[in-house]
Amino acid sequence: MTGAGRRLRFGLSLTPDASRPLLRIAQDADRYGLDLLGVGDQPYRRGTADAPALMATVLAATSRIRVLPAVACLPLRPPAALAKAVATMDRTSGGRVLLGLGAGGHWDGIESYGGARLSATAARRALEEAVQVIRLHWSDQQGLRFQGEHYRFAAGQSGPAPGNQIPIWLGVTGPHGLALAGRVADGWIAPSSLVPPKRLADGRRRLDEAAAAAGRDPAEIRRVYVLEGAIDGRGARGFLHGPPRQWVYELTELAVGHGVDAFLYAGDPDQLGPFALEIVPAVREKVAQERTATAAPAHP
């Protein structure tokens, strides 16, 4: 199901702060029926757990939730090695893995951890090459070779191939990054702090235009919105800062008015219960009502 009728997905964006009970939080998200768990990947930050290791642990300790790096720090994750790790997790979890990729942004931290500092243009080109390398690694081709500006890859054979087609979602915000996502990605991840609602329409337009120019159906690209806010019963204090009823209204507008079809809650994990058990079902119900009303034929 695609486009306006696509089933909404909801999940948690988890900061891998090693001082918190990360596995229990992930198991709560699974138990509450959430669809997705996005794991932050900033290995240069002190006190953070390794994202791929945490993903593998979560997949072994849960039964249904799908897990992805949101987003993998590409300058510190060689794409061929990342492809092998993600394919391995896909095969051992029964197909519960997705891949979120980012070009990198916190260059001081990346450089301090041994990564190369890149310009915005070079980082974007490296991201495009990484998508090519990863998909090549997941293919059934023999005698693999890739010679790019940033990555070189040669192997007698691919693999291990994932058991399922793994979607690649790109965390990009600028016009050139959106054009790249429209050309090659299966999804677009947008954080609310960098892409507020007033910027979503422009981002959606750029994504759709790039997809159409590449001969793709724009409706096939997931629109994933990271909800950087706070659930607070004291009253509305701005976008995504207020009581559950405000969240229900705003997420419904994001889905119906802006085409967002997946949400990752990035607020306090202690408020995961209200998000998953109160806000999510209410949004699903209101969006279904809005879609039905829009699709209903007008009476003469």
Side-chain angles (χ1 to χ4, degrees):
M1 188 172 289
T2 62
R6 174 180 268 164
R7 181 182 181 274
L8 296 178
R9 290 183 180 176
F10 294 87
L12 169 66
S13 178
L14 181 63
T15 300
D17 180 350
S19 67
R20 303 207 65 163
L22 298 174
L23 186 56
R24 180 187 61 75
I25 294 170
Q27 289 173 319
D28 285 345
D30 187 51
R31 180 167 53 86
Y32 288 147
L34 291 178
D35 306 293
L36 302 166
L37 178 74
V39 178
D41 184 27
Q42 295 180 323
Y44 44 82
R45 290 195 180 277
R46 182 179 177 86
T48 57
D50 179 71
L54 178 59
M55 288 172 58
T57 303
V58 166
L59 287 165
T62 57
S63 60
R64 55 171 305 280
I65 200 165
R66 302 182 76 186
V67 181
L68 69 151
V71 291
C73 181
L74 186 58
L76 295 174
R77 304 284 183 193
L82 183 62
K84 183 180 283 285
V86 171
T88 301
M89 285 186 271
D90 177 82
R91 292 168 70 96
T92 58
S93 70
R96 292 192 289 126
V97 180
L98 305 94
L99 177 57
L101 282 179
H106 299 280
W107 294 108
D108 288 343
I110 289 168
E111 195 170 38
S112 72
Y113 231 64
R117 183 183 293 267
L118 300 176
S119 68
T121 299
R124 187 172 59 252
R125 178 58 186 156
L127 178 60
E128 183 171 9
E129 288 184 8
V131 173
Q132 294 174 278
V133 169
I134 290 167
R135 287 192 171 137
L136 186 64
H137 195 283
W138 289 343
S139 74
D140 58 1
Q141 299 180 43
Q142 302 295 315
L144 304 180
R145 288 193 173 275
F146 181 86
Q147 186 79 16
E149 179 183 351
H150 299 278
Y151 299 110
R152 294 166 180 80
F153 176 61
Q157 60 185 22
S158 60
N164 305 271
Q165 184 174 345
I166 300 175
I168 298 178
W169 296 350
L170 298 187
V172 292
T173 57
H176 297 295
L178 285 161
L180 173 62
R183 291 197 308 272
V184 307
D186 302 299
W188 170 38
I189 303 176
S192 62
S193 60
L194 298 178
V195 189
K198 64 182 180 182
R199 285 193 57 200
L200 267 175
D202 180 67
R204 181 182 182 184
R205 177 182 60 80
R206 292 179 185 275
L207 190 75
D208 290 354
E209 288 176 353
R216 308 180 65 204
D217 180 359
E220 297 293 336
I221 302 174
R222 276 272 176 191
R223 320 305 166 97
V224 188
Y225 204 55
V226 183
L227 306 169
E228 299 167 305
I231 301 170
D232 188 344
R234 294 175 294 177
R237 296 180 291 110
F239 179 61
L240 296 178
H241 286 76
R245 65 179 180 276
Q246 176 187 334
W247 278 66
V248 171
Y249 172 82
E250 290 174 343
L251 268 58
T252 300
E253 174 58 26
L254 288 166
V256 175
H258 293 283
V260 175
D261 52 37
F263 298 94
L264 293 178
Y265 170 69
D268 185 351
D270 289 341
Q271 293 296 313
L272 185 60
F275 175 76
L277 302 178
E278 185 175 349
I279 294 171
V280 168
V283 173
R284 288 196 190 280
E285 181 179 359
K286 289 190 72 65
V287 169
Q289 292 171 352
E290 293 276 357
R291 287 175 173 173
T292 299
T294 302
H299 294 291

